[in-house]
């Protein structure tokens, strides 16, 4: 994702996350950390052959932890495997950042997203009460261990 993609991304964002859409400033701020040797973010867009953006996703890394910041697929492309492809790319980025685990928050009522994450090995580890405002909706926190040390492996 580059800054010139933000207009179209915001269009999708407002449609897909009507209650808590990110602002233009939030995307600018994320992209500011996505380039150069010290980059801590990886943001992707998925495009049709025409160049039209129909999905996007982003990962943040801090130390050995990766966080799925966002993942979204245009309604007319959902259920075609695009979400899975975007997630695969984020996990590849997590490996490149040398993250040992990847975490994410997801609305407790967003079952289609949870199914996707479970398919990729994420497991629920807890809740954040009232994480999504307004509406006071809880977040389910999910985690994928991407790298185990030899000692951890020995102990199963
Ligand atoms: C969550 C989200 C990103 C998933 O994206 P997606 O592109 O629909 O995901 P996929 O297509 O990879 O998987 C969804 C379903 O399609 C199925 N599918 C995958 N490839 C397929 C194919 N080629 N043909 C038919 N079905 C397919 C999957 O098996 C899966 O089915 P299931 O969930 O019923 O088991 C998308 O629904 C979305 O953008 N939602 C709104 C925003 C959102 O909630 N984001 C997540 C915030 S935590």
């Amino acid at each position: 994702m580059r800054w010139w993609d933000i207009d179209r991304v915001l269009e999708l964002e407002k449609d897909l996350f009507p209650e808590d859409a990110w602002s233009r400033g939030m995307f600018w701020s994320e992209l500011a950390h996505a380039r150069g040797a010290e980059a801590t973010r990886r943001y992707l867009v998925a495009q049709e052959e025409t160049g039209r953006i129909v999905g996007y996703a982003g990962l943040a890394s801090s130390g050995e932890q990766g966080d799925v910041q966002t993942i979204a697929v245009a309604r007319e492309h959902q259920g075609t495997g695009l979400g899975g492809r975007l997630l695969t790319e984020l996990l590849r980025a997590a490996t490149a950042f040398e993250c040992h685990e990847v975490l994410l928050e997801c609305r407790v009522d967003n079952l289609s997203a949870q199914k996707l994450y479970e398919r990729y090995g994420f497991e629920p580890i807890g809740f954040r009460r009232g994480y999504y405002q307004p509406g006071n909706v809880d977040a389910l926190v999910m985690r994928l261990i991407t790298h185990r040390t030899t000692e951890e492996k020995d102990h199963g």
Side-chain angles (χ1 to χ4, degrees):
M1 188 189 298
R2 300 299 303 276
W3 64 264
W4 49 81
D5 298 323
I6 293 179
D7 279 344
R8 169 63 180 154
V9 166
L10 283 176
E11 215 176 285
L12 290 170
E13 180 80 8
K14 284 173 196 149
D15 181 43
L16 297 167
F17 303 101
E19 290 171 36
D20 44 13
W22 281 16
S23 65
R24 183 178 298 276
M26 288 164 86
F27 280 104
W28 269 103
S29 160
E30 288 291 289
L31 292 183
H33 296 102
R35 292 174 71 77
E38 304 294 311
T40 56
R41 303 288 194 278
R42 177 95 175 108
Y43 272 77
L44 319 157
V45 291
Q47 293 175 301
E48 289 177 329
E49 280 172 12
T50 58
R52 187 165 184 267
I53 292 172
V54 293
Y56 54 94
L59 178 107
S61 82
S62 58
E64 295 178 345
Q65 184 180 315
D67 276 283
V68 175
Q69 302 283 77
T70 186
I71 181 163
V73 171
R75 291 182 194 277
E76 68 276 18
H77 283 266
Q78 290 179 8
T80 65
L82 191 48
R85 286 167 66 191
L86 285 166
L87 188 55
T88 300
E89 283 302 317
L90 291 189
L91 296 179
R92 202 166 284 163
T95 302
F97 281 129
E98 301 183 344
C99 298
H100 290 190
E101 57 176 10
V102 178
L103 283 102
L104 60 84
E105 284 100 14
C106 179
R107 290 173 68 106
V108 286
D109 56 4
N110 191 348
L111 299 182
S112 59
Q114 285 166 36
K115 261 166 92 174
L116 172 68
Y117 300 138
E118 274 169 10
R119 214 161 58 235
Y120 281 78
F122 282 83
E123 291 174 341
I125 56 164
F127 295 96
R128 289 189 204 280
R129 301 287 173 203
Y131 184 80
Y132 296 98
Q133 300 293 343
N136 201 33
V137 178
D138 297 342
L140 177 66
V141 183
M142 299 181 82
R143 179 178 64 179
L144 174 70
I145 306 286
T146 48
H147 174 90
R148 284 178 194 273
T149 64
T150 312
E151 197 176 314
E152 281 165 342
K153 274 182 196 157
D154 287 347
H155 292 86

